Amino acid sequence: MKKILAVDDSASMRQMVGFTLKTAGFDVTEACNGDEALNAAKNGSYDLVISDVNMPVMDGITLIKNLRTLPEYKFTPLLMLTTESGTDKKQEGRNAGATGWIIKPFNPDQLLATVNKVLR
Amino acid sequence: MEIDLSQFSQVFFEESLEGLESMESELLKLDISAPDPEAINTIFRAAHSIKGGSATFGFVQVASYTHLLETLLDEIRDGRRKMTNHHQDMLLLSVDLLRNMLDALMRKIDFCDPLLEELQQKFSTELNQDSTPLLSTEVEQKDDSAVWQITFKAGTDILRFGNDPILMFAELRALGQLDVVLLDTPVPDFTHYDPEGCYLSWQLTLATAQPLSQIKQAFEWVEDECEITYEALDQKSLEVTTPELAIEVAPQLENLTTDTPATKATKPAAITQKNQESGSIRVSIDKVDLLINMVGELVITQAMLSQLGQQDEIDHESLILMKQGLEQLATHTRDLQESVMQIRMLPISFAFNRFPRLVRDIGQQLNKKVELVLKGEDTELDKTVMEKIVDPMVHLVRNSLDHGLETPEDRKAKGKRETGTLTLNAYHQGGNIIIEIIDDGAGLDTAKILKKAKEKGLVNPDEEPSEEAIHQLIFKPGFSTADQVSDLSGRGVGMDVVLRNIHQLSGNIDLKSVKDKGSRFTIRLPLTLAILDGQLVRVGSHTYVVPLVSIHESLQVTPDRINRLSEEHQVIRLRDEYLPVIKVFDQFNHRADANEIKDGLVMVVDANNDKVGLLVDELLSQQQVVIKSLEDNYSKVAGISGATILGDGTVALIIDIAGLVSLAGINNKQDHAA
C-alpha cells in the first residue's frame, strides 16, 4: 500500500485530504506543519508528500527544500497545495524542488487524479 | 468517487471561527505604526485557511470575500502596502461579517447584510481591482477530434523533482490513442554524464477529442524546464492552431485551466448537509487521559469486588477487603465525577476574548481612553455558565465605560492618568468562581442615586440609608443613573436584569465603590450548574434542598422577636433588621411539624440581595447534589428550580429562593421593614 504524508495546518483540509486518500486505498499520515512533517518523513518512508504552503512553524516551501536534501526523498514526488492566486508560489515551490501542485480549491476527484499522476 | 464533503464542514466552521478569533485578537494587539510581521502572518494565514476551506467545501460567498482580505494582507505582508488604521478597521469589520456569514451557513439560512457589499466595495477601491476575481465563469472550450504531434525533450533535472516522463505519457494515454517514439538524442560523454539526469526526447502522436489545454496539463509541471512543441496534424485543427500560434495561445490557456477548479467549486457540493447544531466542545487530551485513567481504576476496583462477591462464604478477611474495595469505589467515583465535570470546564479566556474588541469600540465611541487588563484567563468554569455569564459581563463592562470612567480631560483635572484602566479578573475561591469587573473611574455618585431613588419612591424622603445600601439601589428594577438615555446604556436593560441573570445561575453580585477611585463588581458563581452544594432541610415528611451559597444562618426565634403584620405575613427581628418569614409548608401546601415560627427553625437566606427567613422543621445534612431538571422531566414549578435524587432513592426538590419569594407575594423589604 502506498504511503502518503499529508501536511496542512487546517484540520478540515487535513481531514478531507486524509479521508479522500484513505478511501482510495492509500496509507495516510497527517501532520499539522512542516516541522512535524519533516520529523515524520525522517522517521518513516513515504511514497508521496502533499503539503500546504502557508503554515505556522515551518511553511511548505521550507519543508520541500528540507526534504529534497534527504537522500530518501531525492526522487519522491512532493506536491504542494496552493491557491489559484499563488503563481509566484508555484515558481517558488518548483525552485525548492516540488514535483507539482494541486490548486485550491479542489474536489476529491481532482485530488485523486493528481495523486495518480505522480504515483505508479 | 463520491465523497460527501459535508462531513468535514463542521470542523471547517469550528476552525474558521477560531481563526477569526485569533485574527481579531491579533488585529486588536497590532501596533499600526510598526506591525509585527509574525502577527500579520498569523492574520494572513487565518484568512488564507478560511478561503481555502470555504472554496473547497462550496461556500462561495465566504471564499470570494476572504479572497479580498487575503490579497490585501498578502500585499501588507510582502511590504508592498503599508498597514493603516483604515485597514485595521476594515479587517475588524470583516471579522464580524465573516462570523455572521459562517453563522448563516451553519444555520442554513440566507445571508443578507448590506455591510457585505459596502465592505466589498471598500476592499475593491483599496485594492483597485474587480471585486469578484475568484469567480470567473469561463467555460472550457471543446475542440473537435484531432491528432496532435508532440515533441518532448525532457529537462535534465525533472527526475530530481520527482517527475517521471512515463507517468506523463500514461496520462496522455488516458486521453486517447497514443504512440510513443524515442528520439535519437545525443547523450553526454561519460565524464559529463549525470547518472541522475534525464537526457531523452520523445515524439508522441496523440489522437484525442480533448482540447489542447487538457493535453498540456500532462506537462504542466515541467513545461518550464522541458522543450515541448504541439503540432496539429489534423486538417481541421490546422486551420486554427499552427505550432507558432499554439505558443501564443498558451498563456491564456494556462489561465483557463487555473480558473476551472474555482468554477467547479461553485457547484453546491456541501449544501446537502443536515442541520446539525451539535454544540460540540474541544477537550484537551490531558483531561481525556485523566478520565480514561479513572475508568481504569474503577474497572480494577470492580474486578476486586466481583471476585469477593463470588466467594460462597465471607470470612473476616474478605469482609475487610470488601470494605476497602467499597472505600476505593467511593473515592474513584468521586474522582470520576470530578474529571467528568472537568470536561465541561473551559478557561474563561473564551469569555474574556471578546472584551478587547468591545472595549476598543466603546472607548472610541465615547472618546475615552481605556486600557483593558485581563487577569486569571486560565481560570476554568463550566461551558453553560460561561455562555450565560457573558451577557451580564458585557453589560457591566459597558456600564463601567459609560458611567464609571471619566473623559481624559476630567481625569486630568482630577490628577489621574488620562487613560483609565478596566480590569477583568477571574479566580477560584472555594467551590466558586469569582469574576471581578474593576474600573478606576469616578465611582458611584451616591447623592445622585439617593435623589433619584427618593423621586421614584424607592426610598422614603426622610430616610438616610448607609452608603452601601445606596449602592445596592442600582440593582432595583427601573433604576437608571444615566441623565440621558445614551446609545450604550439605559435601553431598558438595567442592573436588575444583570442581577436576575446572575441569580438564575445561583450566583450573586457584590458592589464596592469609592468616589473618584472607582468601582468593583464582584460576581460569585458556582463552578457548574449540574452540581450544587446544598443544605438538606426537612419540612413535614418532605426533604428540600436549599443552595448553600444563599444561606446566611439558621436560628430558633423566640416569640418576643416575632411580629405579625397580617394574617399571612409575619416578620422577625434579627439584630437591627426585620425579615419577612416564608412558611415553606404553606407555599407548597403540605403538613409540617412546626406551623408557627416559634416552633421551628428559621433559615435566613439571600433573595435578590434582601434577606428573608424560611420556616423549616429541621436541618439535615449538607451535601453535593446532582441537579435534575424538573422542566425536562415534569413541568416548571414555581418556587422550585430542580430536583435531585438522594442516596435512599427519594426525590428532593431544590428550592429556588427568588421564585419562592415572589410566590409568597413578598415584593421588597420596604413593605415589611417599615
Side-chain angles (χ1 to χ4, degrees):
Chain A
M1 195 192 280
K2 295 279 184 191
K3 289 175 71 181
I4 301 180
L5 180 60
V7 197
D8 202 314
D9 59 328
S10 149
S12 57
M13 271 292 172
R14 222 165 44 234
Q15 278 189 11
M16 185 256 188
V17 170
F19 183 83
T20 306
L21 295 173
K22 278 176 200 158
T23 315
F26 293 104
D27 179 0
V28 186
T29 304
E30 294 172 11
C32 305
N33 61 53
D35 195 44
E36 222 178 74
L38 191 60
N39 279 326
K42 282 177 182 166
N43 294 324
S45 74
Y46 295 93
D47 301 297
L48 166 66
V49 179
I50 302 178
S51 172
D52 187 24
V53 175
N54 287 294
M55 288 180 294
V57 193
M58 186 195 283
D59 63 53
I61 306 276
T62 316
L63 170 67
I64 288 170
K65 266 187 206 153
N66 277 312
L67 283 174
R68 279 289 179 236
T69 63
L70 302 173
E72 305 88 325
Y73 293 93
K74 212 167 182 179
F75 301 111
T76 310
L78 307 177
L79 295 178
M80 48 183 218
L81 292 170
T82 176
T83 50
E84 77 297 326
S85 58
T87 336
D88 303 348
K89 283 282 171 219
K90 278 184 217 160
Q91 199 44 50
E92 221 182 297
R94 289 232 19 105
N95 294 341
T99 307
W101 50 82
I102 304 173
I103 295 154
K104 283 193 208 177
F106 52 85
N107 61 40
D109 292 328
Q110 289 166 326
L111 175 68
L112 287 176
T114 316
V115 167
N116 287 324
K117 207 166 153 171
V118 290
L119 282 182
R120 289 202 213 200
Chain B
M1 183 167 61
E2 235 2 89
I3 287 181
D4 179 14
L5 285 180
S6 66
Q7 56 186 314
F8 308 112
S9 44
Q10 190 58 39
V11 183
F12 163 73
F13 288 135
E14 274 172 33
E15 79 188 4
S16 298
L17 289 173
E18 262 173 40
L20 287 175
E21 231 163 71
S22 73
M23 249 171 113
E24 188 174 40
S25 71
E26 291 294 342
L27 279 168
L28 288 169
K29 274 191 283 182
L30 212 59
D31 176 7
I32 299 296
S33 52
D36 174 17
E38 196 35 54
I40 299 280
N41 230 330
T42 309
I43 300 168
F44 169 82
R45 267 203 307 272
H48 182 77
S49 291
I50 295 172
K51 177 187 150 188
S54 52
T56 303
F57 298 120
F59 307 131
V60 186
Q61 203 177 27
V62 179
S64 71
Y65 187 70
T66 37
H67 178 73
L68 299 171
L69 265 71
E70 190 197 29
T71 315
L72 177 72
L73 285 162
D74 194 34
E75 290 182 8
I76 295 172
R77 192 172 68 146
D78 289 356
R80 277 177 282 152
R81 189 185 284 273
K82 214 175 139 13
M83 180 93 180
T84 64
N85 280 317
H86 179 58
H87 293 147
Q88 190 190 25
D89 288 342
M90 264 163 65
L91 289 166
L92 279 172
L93 282 171
S94 303
V95 168
D96 293 342
L97 186 71
L98 283 165
R99 271 203 192 111
N100 293 339
M101 282 165 110
L102 291 172
D103 184 57
L105 283 167
M106 274 187 274
R107 292 195 285 142
K108 305 230 159 308
I109 51 173
D110 285 338
F111 178 77
C112 174
D113 189 339
L115 187 63
L116 173 65
E117 208 162 307
E118 192 187 313
L119 276 171
Q120 241 163 6
Q121 206 51 51
K122 273 190 184 167
F123 271 105
S124 305
T125 335
E126 192 72 28
L127 297 168
N128 200 10
Q129 69 171 52
D130 181 25
S131 65
T132 50
L134 187 67
L135 298 170
S136 51
T137 46
E138 285 185 63
V139 186
E140 184 133 346
Q141 66 195 51
K142 195 95 183 163
D143 286 13
D144 282 323
S145 181
V147 179
W148 295 88
Q149 194 166 69
I150 305 156
T151 50
F152 173 58
K153 180 173 184 334
T156 328
D157 280 339
I158 67 163
L159 298 176
R160 265 191 283 268
F161 290 149
N163 276 302
D164 187 341
I166 295 177
L167 291 169
M168 297 171 202
F169 302 161
E171 204 182 334
L172 290 178
R173 182 170 292 147
L175 300 177
Q177 177 75 36
L178 181 75
D179 279 325
V180 183
V181 178
L182 181 64
L183 295 177
D184 184 13
T185 342
V187 168
D189 61 52
F190 192 71
T191 44
H192 295 105
Y193 186 80
D194 174 4
E196 289 173 356
C198 180
Y199 299 101
L200 304 174
S201 318
W202 294 266
Q203 187 168 63
L204 310 149
T205 315
L206 176 67
T208 179
Q210 298 295 326
L212 183 61
S213 62
Q214 190 73 38
I215 300 168
K216 283 189 161 188
Q217 265 185 17
F219 303 108
E220 192 190 3
W221 295 337
V222 294
E223 62 192 7
D224 290 345
E225 43 264 273
C226 301
E227 287 170 33
I228 314 165
T229 56
Y230 304 89
E231 196 179 339
L233 293 183
D234 187 78
Q235 207 53 45
K236 251 192 288 176
S237 309
L238 206 63
E239 289 164 20
V240 269
T241 345
T242 59
E244 295 80 18
L245 198 57
I247 294 157
E248 208 180 304
V249 174
Q252 284 159 11
L253 286 170
E254 197 190 345
N255 284 342
L256 189 69
T257 48
T258 45
D259 274 343
T260 338
T263 322
K264 280 190 182 155
T266 58
K267 285 181 197 159
I271 292 174
T272 46
Q273 172 209 25
K274 283 180 208 82
N275 194 1
Q276 34 177 248
E277 212 169 314
S278 51
S280 65
I281 185 168
R282 278 188 176 220
V283 182
S284 82
I285 294 285
D286 292 351
K287 288 182 179 174
V288 177
D289 281 350
L290 195 69
L291 204 60
I292 291 169
N293 259 338
M294 257 21 280
V295 173
E297 295 284 331
L298 263 182
V299 170
I300 295 168
T301 316
Q302 189 273 333
M304 171 184 162
L305 285 172
S306 90
Q307 207 175 12
L308 286 168
Q310 275 167 6
Q311 291 176 5
D312 290 334
E313 276 178 44
I314 303 269
D315 53 17
H316 183 64
E317 203 176 315
S318 33
L319 200 63
I320 292 176
L321 277 176
M322 194 176 282
K323 267 191 174 167
Q324 281 175 355
L326 287 170
E327 269 167 31
Q328 257 180 43
L329 190 66
T331 322
H332 292 156
T333 314
R334 203 171 44 244
D335 289 352
L336 185 65
Q337 184 203 23
E338 264 169 33
S339 358
V340 171
M341 301 312 296
Q342 278 296 319
I343 284 193
R344 296 186 55 89
M345 296 298 214
L346 295 173
I348 198 160
S349 50
F350 278 84
F352 277 8
N353 278 347
R354 72 176 58 196
F355 287 101
R357 176 71 187 280
L358 189 82
V359 170
R360 175 188 185 265
D361 289 356
I362 298 178
Q364 259 180 6
Q365 221 173 320
L366 295 169
N367 288 324
K368 289 182 181 175
K369 291 187 180 169
V370 201
E371 185 190 348
L372 179 69
V373 180
L374 301 178
K375 285 185 188 164
E377 291 161 276
D378 296 334
T379 316
E380 293 195 325
L381 83 161
D382 190 285
K383 185 169 184 271
T384 340
V385 182
M386 180 111 63
E387 280 162 3
K388 292 189 177 152
I389 197 59
V390 167
D391 281 350
M393 274 176 74
V394 168
H395 192 86
L396 290 172
V397 165
R398 280 201 167 134
N399 257 332
S400 282
L401 293 175
D402 199 6
H403 305 312
L405 288 182
E406 312 92 331
T407 56
E409 302 80 56
D410 284 355
R411 291 182 66 90
K412 223 171 165 182
K414 287 181 184 175
K416 291 179 171 179
R417 212 156 63 95
E418 275 187 28
T419 309
T421 312
L422 183 78
T423 309
L424 296 182
N425 187 18
Y427 56 92
H428 285 148
Q429 194 180 72
N432 292 304
I433 182 168
I434 315 285
I435 301 168
E436 294 179 322
I437 293 131
I438 310 158
D439 68 64
D440 65 348
L444 293 181
D445 187 342
T446 44
K448 198 158 111 189
I449 295 171
L450 188 62
K451 184 168 163 270
K452 203 122 185 175
K454 286 185 177 171
E455 279 170 23
K456 293 200 181 245
L458 293 167
V459 174
N460 288 336
D462 49 350
E463 209 177 328
E464 283 304 322
S466 68
E467 196 168 20
E468 203 168 313
I470 296 173
H471 290 164
Q472 293 303 328
L473 287 171
I474 64 165
F475 293 110
K476 295 282 178 210
F479 195 89
S480 171
T481 45
D483 292 328
Q484 282 175 316
V485 174
S486 73
D487 187 29
L488 291 167
S489 36
R491 282 173 303 186
V493 184
M495 293 294 269
D496 57 316
V497 178
V498 172
L499 184 69
R500 202 186 316 140
N501 286 341
I502 290 171
H503 278 164
Q504 267 167 11
L505 292 167
S506 319
N508 57 42
I509 184 166
D510 192 39
L511 160 64
K512 283 211 168 50
S513 174
V514 180
K515 194 164 165 50
D516 288 339
K517 293 273 186 226
S519 317
R520 172 193 299 256
F521 289 89
T522 307
I523 304 170
R524 178 185 301 269
L525 293 169
L527 278 181
T528 167
L529 294 182
I531 290 191
L532 173 99
D533 275 312
Q535 169 72 57
L536 269 49
V537 298
R538 185 179 65 82
V539 181
S541 56
H542 295 260
T543 307
Y544 292 98
V545 181
V546 181
L548 208 54
V549 60
S550 340
I551 302 174
H552 286 281
E553 58 188 311
S554 299
L555 64 159
Q556 265 177 327
V557 184
T558 48
D560 59 305
R561 291 200 287 164
I562 304 169
N563 286 12
R564 182 179 292 272
L565 292 183
S566 66
E567 200 49 47
E568 303 116 70
H569 291 141
Q570 283 171 298
V571 296
I572 57 166
R573 197 179 77 239
L574 179 64
R575 294 179 276 274
D576 52 358
E577 274 182 292
Y578 286 90
L579 311 182
V581 173
I582 297 169
K583 293 178 176 173
V584 176
F585 71 92
D586 229 11
Q587 299 305 324
F588 297 124
N589 285 323
H590 59 79
R591 284 170 186 281
D593 295 355
N595 288 319
E596 291 304 325
I597 293 174
K598 65 178 169 46
D599 301 328
L601 267 179
V602 172
M603 186 182 257
V604 180
V605 293
D606 208 32
N608 296 342
N609 276 3
D610 288 338
K611 287 175 185 169
V612 297
L614 301 183
L615 178 65
V616 300
D617 286 347
E618 190 187 353
L619 294 187
L620 305 171
S621 62
Q622 282 178 10
Q623 68 179 66
Q624 276 204 333
V625 298
V626 179
I627 302 172
K628 305 277 181 193
S629 162
L630 212 55
E631 240 169 314
D632 291 353
N633 296 306
Y634 173 59
S635 72
K636 196 166 165 54
V637 178
I640 298 293
S641 61
T644 191
I645 299 164
L646 300 175
D648 61 1
T650 56
V651 172
L653 298 175
I654 302 165
I655 291 183
D656 163 21
I657 297 172
L660 188 64
V661 168
S662 63
L663 190 67
I666 299 171
N667 294 324
N668 66 46
K669 202 156 65 177
Q670 265 66 37
D671 296 356
H672 308 278

